[in-house]
Amino acid sequence: MTDESWSGWYRDARGSEAVVLTTDGQRLRIRVRGADFEGESFDALRPVAGVPPECGVPGLADGALTDCVLEWDLPLPVLVAGTLRHATLSCLLSLRRDDPDLHLALHLDGAVYESERAERDFAAALATVRQALPDDVRLQTCIACAFSGSFPAPGRGLSGTLACFRGAKDAYRISAADAGGVLELWDRRSGTVQEIWSCREFEASPAETVGAGHRDAVPLDRA
């Protein structure tokens, strides 16, 4: 996967600054006030050096960045009446201790399709956005890919909890409609991906209905 960078803003009680979020679809990276943070989820961004920085960077909860707000825009591929287009997804994430909330807004052709103001995770926020889209508009990201899925279990992380089965495409096409089939293929997954990521191997899910089957579940781990 090729890295992608998104420009945005970081804010906390000490002030605000422009930042750049970088991801390869799996791991996220950000530099705040000279300190580098990295993690597989937005609520698991930890100092790369493994120790808390000493440069005025905010509080950490269990070693992860917290008590701050992240805001950024990213180009999001969408299919409009069969034609590939690029919309803009605006993301506003409040990383409060033990209680993060998220708001997404998809901008396309002058219209805005929004999630709820305080979503708990990216999967739920994107599901709300997808429900609001016109019938001829489809997201072209991992959340809507034919090769993505989640372990059928309760609970869900903030982001990066979507399993990718691009390394077992044919088998997954057959098994994807059945949660038991997903379990059988679980060890063949190619890792987990960010729900808002899109790669060259994207293929639209044959069941493009929000909340269909195992897509609303969550993996037990992020290995």
Side-chain angles (χ1 to χ4, degrees):
M1 293 183 180
T2 302
D3 285 1
E4 184 173 322
S5 295
W6 309 320
S7 298
W9 288 90
Y10 168 91
R11 300 195 302 273
D12 65 11
R14 296 173 180 265
S16 63
E17 68 170 273
V19 293
V20 175
L21 280 159
T22 302
T23 182
D24 60 3
Q26 296 178 315
R27 295 194 68 79
L28 300 155
R29 300 186 298 279
I30 188 174
R31 171 170 286 192
V32 180
R33 297 182 187 135
D36 292 317
F37 293 80
E38 184 177 81
E40 293 182 356
S41 177
F42 284 94
D43 58 350
L45 294 169
R46 293 180 168 82
V48 172
V51 296
E54 298 178 358
C55 57
V57 174
L60 302 175
D62 295 326
L65 199 63
T66 190
D67 292 340
C68 62
V69 174
L70 294 174
E71 187 173 4
W72 71 100
D73 292 340
L74 66 144
L76 201 74
V78 296
L79 201 65
V80 181
T83 301
L84 184 62
R85 301 270 299 281
H86 279 85
T88 297
L89 185 69
S90 296
C91 308
L92 179 61
L93 173 61
S94 177
L95 281 175
R96 298 193 302 257
R97 290 176 185 265
D98 302 320
D99 188 27
D101 65 57
L102 170 71
H103 175 246
L104 300 180
L106 184 72
H107 301 261
L108 176 65
D109 293 337
V112 182
Y113 306 96
E114 300 182 73
S115 70
E116 298 295 334
R117 285 286 169 178
E119 299 279 10
R120 297 302 181 191
D121 56 72
F122 276 81
L126 286 168
T128 304
V129 170
R130 291 168 71 193
Q131 286 176 329
L133 291 174
D135 290 340
D136 63 346
V137 179
R138 293 287 182 268
L139 299 185
Q140 303 287 284
T141 65
C142 290
I143 194 72
C145 181
F147 308 126
S148 70
S150 298
F151 197 96
R156 182 161 53 202
L158 175 62
S159 69
T161 61
L162 195 61
C164 174
F165 293 89
R166 66 183 182 277
K169 292 179 181 178
D170 291 339
Y172 192 67
R173 284 191 182 99
I174 297 172
S175 303
D178 175 50
V182 175
L183 285 172
E184 292 176 3
L185 291 174
W186 193 247
D187 290 339
R188 297 179 63 184
R189 67 195 185 281
S190 301
T192 55
V193 291
Q194 298 297 321
E195 293 79 359
I196 53 178
W197 181 254
S198 181
C199 82
R200 297 176 183 176
E201 298 184 58
F202 175 88
E203 183 178 303
S205 168
E208 252 300 87
T209 55
V210 177
H214 59 276
R215 292 185 180 278
D216 281 345
V218 63
L220 293 178
D221 60 58
R222 297 175 181 170

Coordinates of all heavy atoms in Angstrom, one line a residue, residues 6 21 44 52 59 76 82 95 114 127 132 150 152 156 186 190 216 222:
W6 N -3.1 13.4 5.0 CA -4.3 14.3 5.1 C -3.9 15.5 6.0 O -3.5 15.3 7.1 CB -5.5 13.5 5.7 CG -5.8 12.2 5.0 CD1 -5.8 12.0 3.7 CD2 -6.2 11.0 5.6 NE1 -6.1 10.7 3.4 CE2 -6.4 10.0 4.6 CE3 -6.4 10.6 7.0 CZ2 -6.8 8.7 4.9 CZ3 -6.8 9.3 7.2 CH2 -7.0 8.4 6.2
L21 N -1.8 14.0 9.0 CA -2.0 12.6 9.3 C -1.6 11.7 8.1 O -1.9 12.0 7.0 CB -3.5 12.3 9.6 CG -4.0 12.7 11.0 CD1 -5.5 12.9 10.9 CD2 -3.7 11.6 12.0
A44 N -5.5 5.1 19.6 CA -4.4 4.3 20.0 C -3.1 4.9 19.5 O -2.1 4.1 19.1 CB -4.5 2.8 19.6
P52 N 6.5 8.9 27.0 CA 5.8 10.1 26.9 C 6.8 11.3 26.5 O 7.9 11.4 27.1 CB 5.2 10.4 28.2 CG 5.1 9.0 28.9 CD 6.3 8.3 28.4
G59 N -2.1 15.3 27.5 CA -2.2 14.1 28.3 C -2.3 12.8 27.5 O -2.7 12.8 26.4
L76 N -12.3 11.4 -0.9 CA -12.9 10.1 -0.8 C -13.5 9.6 -2.1 O -14.4 10.3 -2.7 CB -14.0 10.1 0.3 CG -14.4 8.8 0.9 CD1 -13.3 8.3 1.8 CD2 -15.7 8.8 1.6
G82 N -22.3 5.2 -11.8 CA -21.4 4.4 -12.5 C -20.1 5.1 -12.9 O -19.2 4.5 -13.4
L95 N -11.1 13.4 21.0 CA -10.5 12.2 21.7 C -10.5 12.5 23.2 O -9.5 12.8 23.9 CB -9.0 12.0 21.3 CG -8.8 11.3 20.0 CD1 -7.4 11.2 19.6 CD2 -9.4 9.8 20.1
E114 N -24.2 13.8 6.3 CA -23.5 13.8 7.6 C -23.9 12.6 8.4 O -25.0 12.0 8.3 CB -23.9 15.1 8.3 CG -23.5 16.4 7.7 CD -23.8 17.6 8.5 OE1 -23.1 17.8 9.5 OE2 -24.8 18.3 8.2
A127 N -21.8 4.3 8.2 CA -23.1 3.7 7.9 C -24.2 4.7 7.8 O -25.0 4.7 7.0 CB -23.4 2.7 9.0
A132 N -27.6 8.1 4.0 CA -28.1 9.4 3.6 C -27.8 9.6 2.1 O -28.4 10.5 1.5 CB -27.5 10.5 4.4
S150 N -15.7 -8.3 9.2 CA -15.4 -8.3 10.6 C -15.8 -9.5 11.4 O -16.8 -10.2 11.0 CB -16.0 -7.1 11.3 OG -15.6 -5.9 10.7
P152 N -17.6 -11.7 13.8 CA -19.0 -11.6 14.4 C -18.9 -11.7 15.9 O -19.0 -12.7 16.5 CB -19.8 -12.7 13.8 CG -18.8 -13.8 13.4 CD -17.5 -13.0 13.1
R156 N -16.9 -2.8 19.4 CA -16.2 -2.4 18.2 C -15.2 -1.2 18.6 O -15.5 -0.4 19.5 CB -17.2 -1.8 17.2 CG -16.6 -1.4 15.9 CD -17.6 -1.3 14.8 NE -18.7 -0.6 15.1 CZ -19.9 -0.7 14.5 NH1 -20.1 -1.6 13.6 NH2 -20.9 0.1 14.9
W186 N -10.7 -16.6 8.7 CA -10.2 -15.6 9.6 C -8.6 -15.5 9.6 O -8.0 -14.5 9.5 CB -10.7 -15.7 11.0 CG -10.4 -14.4 11.8 CD1 -9.6 -14.3 12.9 CD2 -11.0 -13.2 11.6 NE1 -9.6 -13.0 13.3 CE2 -10.5 -12.3 12.6 CE3 -11.9 -12.6 10.7 CZ2 -10.8 -10.9 12.7 CZ3 -12.2 -11.3 10.7 CH2 -11.7 -10.5 11.7
S190 N -5.6 -10.5 5.4 CA -4.3 -9.7 5.1 C -4.0 -8.6 6.2 O -3.3 -7.7 5.9 CB -4.4 -9.1 3.7 OG -4.6 -10.1 2.8
D216 N -21.3 -5.2 10.4 CA -21.5 -4.4 11.5 C -20.9 -5.0 12.8 O -21.0 -4.5 13.9 CB -23.0 -4.2 11.8 CG -23.5 -3.1 10.9 OD1 -22.7 -2.4 10.3 OD2 -24.8 -3.0 10.8
R222 N -6.5 -7.1 16.3 CA -6.1 -6.3 15.2 C -4.8 -6.8 14.6 O -4.0 -6.1 14.0 CB -5.9 -4.8 15.6 CG -7.2 -4.2 16.1 CD -6.9 -2.8 16.5 NE -8.2 -2.2 17.0 CZ -8.3 -1.1 17.7 NH1 -7.2 -0.4 18.0 NH2 -9.4 -0.6 18.1

